[in-house]
Amino acid sequence: MRELVERRLVDGRVRNEDGGRRVQVNLRESPLDWLRSRALVDARQYEAGERLRGDYERAALGLRVTMRWDAAPRGSAGVPADPSGGQLAAKARFDAAIAAVGPGLADILWRTVCANEGLPAAEKALGWPARAGRLVLTLALDRLAGHYRLR
């Protein structure tokens, strides 16, 4: 059975009820959403993970499997805008966040939050014992929330 929730989204980010379009999100699609739905990560950790994933996706660091069919973004004068500026800024934010988390914790954070790899698969790929990933992931999310200065 799929767990579906409705969220308000604007530009792919979760927003308040004051605007945006309604979409349904499958909570089993993202390991971070799955952990949040079971209260295994708190709101601060979840927000930190979502910020990291947002920068990862804005920087277009993921693999592209199809051609882009969207129109070129337009600037204020109707001239095509250069999208690389936003991508470069997002990449810089992503790199700074990963560096702040540290090399020991960044692996599990990237695998679960950015690559949407489940915890059991990430633990196996990293050679960790079963159920060690959640503890290390929560430590990584706490450090990431500190980097983002979330309360």
Side-chain angles (χ1 to χ4, degrees), residues 8 26-27 36 44 54 71 73 100-101 112 126 143:
R8 289 238 183 234
N26 186 350
L27 291 179
R36 178 72 177 137
R44 180 176 177 259
V101 169
T112 55
L126 294 169
R143 193 170 289 178

Side-chain angles (χ1 to χ4, degrees), residues 34-145:
W34 186 88
L35 291 167
R36 178 72 177 137
S37 69
R38 285 155 180 79
L40 298 174
V41 294
D42 61 21
R44 180 176 177 259
Q45 294 167 333
Y46 180 79
E47 176 64 26
E50 285 297 311
R51 281 192 188 185
L52 182 70
R53 184 193 347 249
D55 284 337
Y56 178 80
E57 290 174 358
R58 274 185 219 93
L61 296 173
L63 297 174
R64 297 218 181 230
V65 294
T66 62
M67 184 174 174
R68 288 184 61 167
W69 292 99
D70 52 343
R74 298 286 174 184
S76 59
V79 178
D82 181 18
S84 64
Q87 286 180 326
L88 291 175
K91 171 118 173 54
R93 288 191 307 268
F94 175 80
D95 289 340
I98 290 294
V101 169
L105 302 175
D107 297 334
I108 190 75
L109 187 65
W110 180 83
R111 285 180 180 273
T112 55
V113 173
C114 299
N116 283 332
E117 192 172 307
L119 279 175
E123 291 165 346
K124 188 173 183 179
L126 294 169
W128 292 355
R131 292 184 284 287
R134 188 176 71 84
L135 175 64
V136 178
L137 178 62
T138 56
L139 293 172
L141 288 170
D142 280 336
R143 193 170 289 178
L144 184 63

Side-chain angles (χ1 to χ4, degrees), residues 7-16 25 46-47 50:
R7 290 188 180 160
R8 289 238 183 234
L9 298 178
V10 174
D11 301 328
R13 296 198 59 206
V14 177
R15 298 288 181 168
N16 294 338
V25 178
Y46 180 79
E47 176 64 26
E50 285 297 311

Side-chain angles (χ1 to χ4, degrees), residues 1-8 22-30 33-34 37-38 46:
M1 171 167 229
R2 291 177 19 172
E3 297 178 47
L4 296 174
V5 294
E6 288 192 353
R7 290 188 180 160
R8 289 238 183 234
R22 286 188 90 110
V23 296
Q24 287 190 330
V25 178
N26 186 350
L27 291 179
R28 293 185 182 173
E29 185 174 299
S30 163
D33 284 332
W34 186 88
S37 69
R38 285 155 180 79
Y46 180 79

